[in-house]
């Protein structure tokens, strides 16, 4: 990956490379910072006013932090990576939390674009997170970056609507002359955070299985590829617009469950009925667990990005130490 960045002209040994990042305290942000520092890239974290980073988070040497209103600290950066947003699965989707999901993405991105526009030497590129939820529930349809995300196709889907507004807010940076790349994340796999961490216990106890009928597609990506792709999108000047950040192998939920059980050497026999998931989780169950999006990373593969973890069995084997 280091050689790839050098070929793209993103070589810290040749000149000082510095990126800014917002929303860095989450799983993807921390891994991206760790990778950037290993590659010799300087990092400056943006922190919200009156909010300090958690005391138990130890950032690598060479990582700076500055309040978001301290504009001078963000001058002359090569790129900005924006990962803002409260966790979509952290709480039940009552109206107030749905508003928090929307505002922490859409409004925070609009404010970021406005702040970057006030800089004398703004970043050349903005890489903004998004999600494959923008496609809505599409059954067996093969979805790449050219697939429609219009409301007429996705219907009244909450996550799709949020993602459309989120991407629109980010693309306003193009009006300021900057390049914008949109990282449409699939389910990011990490053993201690996110969806995989919640799936492990029932499977380890031998009571895991498919959700609903198990026919819905579950796109996924290893956390290391997720971090690598963010830096890759920042470095490659050809990368503009949306990119599906999902592994080449997209499996159904039933297939995903079978592979996870195989890696853990446990059975996968107890399905979770859709009605039970809806009773427990409400609207979140349909959007996060039962919706189907067969997303493929056509844009990344055509640009030349090489996935480190292209199969689910290999990714889970790495993450779970098997």
């Amino acid at each position: 990956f280091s050689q790839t960045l050098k070929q793209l002209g993103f070589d810290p040994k040749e000149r000082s490379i510095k990126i800014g990042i917002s929303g860095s305290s989450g799983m993807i942000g921390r891994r991206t910072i760790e990778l950037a520092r290993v590659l010799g890239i300087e990092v400056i974290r943006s922190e919200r006013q009156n909010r300090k980073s958690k005391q138990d988070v130890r950032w690598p040497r060479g990582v700076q932090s500055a309040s978001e209103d301290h504009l001078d600290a963000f001058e002359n950066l090569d790129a900005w990576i924006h990962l803002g947003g409260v966790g979509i699965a952290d709480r039940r989707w009552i109206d107030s939390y749905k508003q928090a999901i929307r505002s922490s993405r859409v409004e925070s991105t609009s404010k970021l674009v406005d702040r970057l526009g006030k800089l004398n030497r703004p970043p050349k590129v903005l890489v903004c997170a998004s999600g494959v939820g923008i496609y809505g529930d599409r059954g067996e349809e093969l979805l790449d970056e050219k697939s429609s995300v219009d409301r007429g196709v996705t219907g009244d889907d909450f996550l799709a609507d949020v993602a459309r507004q989120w991407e629109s807010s980010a693309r306003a940076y193009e009006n300021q002359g900057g390049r914008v790349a949109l990282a449409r994340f699939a389910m990011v796999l990490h053993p201690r955070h996110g969806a995989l961490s919640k799936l492990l216990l029932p499977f380890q106890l031998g009571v895991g299985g498919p959700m609903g009928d198990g026919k819905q597609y579950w796109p996924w990506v290893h956390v290391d590829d997720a971090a690598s792709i963010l830096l890759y999108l920042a470095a490659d000047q050809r990368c503009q617009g949306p990119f599906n950040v999902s592994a080449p192998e997209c499996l159904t939920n039933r297939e995903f469950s079978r592979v996870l059980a195989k890696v853990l050497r446990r059975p996968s026999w107890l399905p979770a009925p859709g009605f039970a998931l809806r009773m427990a989780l409400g609207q979140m169950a349909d959007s996060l667990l039962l919706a189907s999006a067969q997303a493929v990373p056509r844009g990344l593969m055509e640009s030349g990005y090489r996935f480190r973890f292209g199969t689910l069995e290999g990714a889970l084997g790495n993450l779970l130490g098997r």
Side-chain angles (χ1 to χ4, degrees):
F1 181 69
S2 178
Q3 292 298 322
T4 299
L5 292 185
K6 290 178 182 178
Q7 292 170 5
L8 296 173
F10 215 65
D11 186 0
K13 293 183 179 180
E14 295 293 330
R15 66 179 183 86
S16 177
I17 304 293
K18 193 170 185 178
I19 64 171
I21 184 167
S22 41
S24 59
S25 60
M27 165 182 62
I28 304 173
R30 291 198 296 269
R31 187 58 63 94
T32 303
I33 287 175
E34 291 166 357
L35 176 59
R37 290 303 301 137
V38 166
L39 295 171
I41 298 171
E42 296 181 56
V43 178
I44 181 164
R45 300 175 53 252
S46 170
E47 292 186 335
R48 291 203 296 271
Q49 297 178 17
N50 303 320
R51 178 175 177 177
K52 299 297 182 182
S53 60
K54 297 180 180 178
Q55 295 299 314
D56 60 343
V57 176
R58 293 187 177 182
W59 301 104
R61 182 177 299 179
V63 176
Q64 306 173 48
S65 299
S67 173
E68 62 183 5
D69 62 343
H70 187 195
L71 294 181
D72 289 346
F74 307 121
E75 290 282 1
N76 204 29
L77 297 176
D78 290 278
W80 192 282
I81 296 174
H82 181 50
L83 301 169
V86 301
I88 58 176
D90 288 356
R91 300 181 189 176
R92 193 179 179 91
W93 284 3
I94 59 175
D95 288 344
S96 61
Y97 197 66
K98 288 172 69 175
Q99 179 56 36
I101 290 173
R102 187 185 302 274
S103 63
S104 65
R105 287 163 170 77
V106 180
E107 294 176 16
S108 72
T109 304
S110 293
K111 292 177 180 178
L112 172 65
V113 169
D114 182 63
R115 287 196 300 273
L116 295 181
K118 295 177 180 178
L119 298 175
N120 295 319
R121 292 164 294 175
K124 303 175 183 66
V125 56
L126 170 63
V127 180
C128 184
S130 180
V132 294
I134 197 170
Y135 299 111
D137 186 0
R138 304 283 279 271
E140 296 184 357
E141 182 182 353
L142 197 64
L143 302 168
D144 63 20
E145 293 83 359
K146 294 182 180 180
S147 300
S148 174
V149 295
D150 293 339
R151 187 164 186 168
V153 176
T154 63
D156 191 23
D157 186 286
F158 170 68
L159 286 184
D161 188 51
V162 170
R164 280 193 296 268
Q165 294 182 38
W166 195 4
E167 292 189 1
S168 178
S169 296
R171 289 197 120 149
Y173 195 58
E174 294 175 338
N175 298 330
Q176 301 176 15
R179 176 170 62 89
V180 176
L182 304 165
R184 291 177 176 171
F185 283 106
M187 175 172 57
V188 180
L189 301 185
H190 189 292
R192 295 185 302 278
H193 305 283
L196 178 60
S197 66
K198 295 178 174 63
L199 289 172
L200 286 179
L201 182 59
F203 275 87
Q204 289 169 335
L205 295 175
V207 293
M211 298 184 182
D213 62 14
K215 295 180 180 179
Q216 69 274 25
Y217 280 91
W218 267 22
W220 60 273
V221 66
H222 190 291
V223 65
D224 285 350
D225 271 318
S228 298
I229 288 167
L230 287 173
L231 295 178
Y232 181 84
L233 293 178
D236 192 337
Q237 297 181 10
R238 300 170 301 168
C239 293
Q240 188 160 355
F243 289 84
N244 289 343
V245 184
S246 57
E249 181 183 69
C250 185
L251 304 176
T252 64
N253 171 256
R254 184 175 297 277
E255 294 166 334
F256 188 105
S257 301
R258 177 185 56 78
V259 174
L260 177 57
K262 177 183 177 182
V263 172
L264 291 173
R265 301 184 181 92
R266 293 291 189 273
S268 173
W269 61 276
L270 187 63
F275 74 86
L277 294 171
R278 293 185 182 97
M279 288 179 62
L281 302 174
Q283 184 184 0
M284 186 195 306
D286 284 301
S287 294
L288 297 184
L289 302 177
L290 302 175
S292 179
Q294 191 181 179
V296 293
R298 192 179 307 280
L300 285 169
M301 291 190 295
E302 290 180 350
S303 75
Y305 179 81
R306 293 190 297 174
F307 282 83
R308 181 179 177 193
F309 299 98
T311 66
L312 181 61
E313 186 169 350
L316 291 176
N318 170 265
L319 290 168
L320 303 178
R322 301 302 177 95

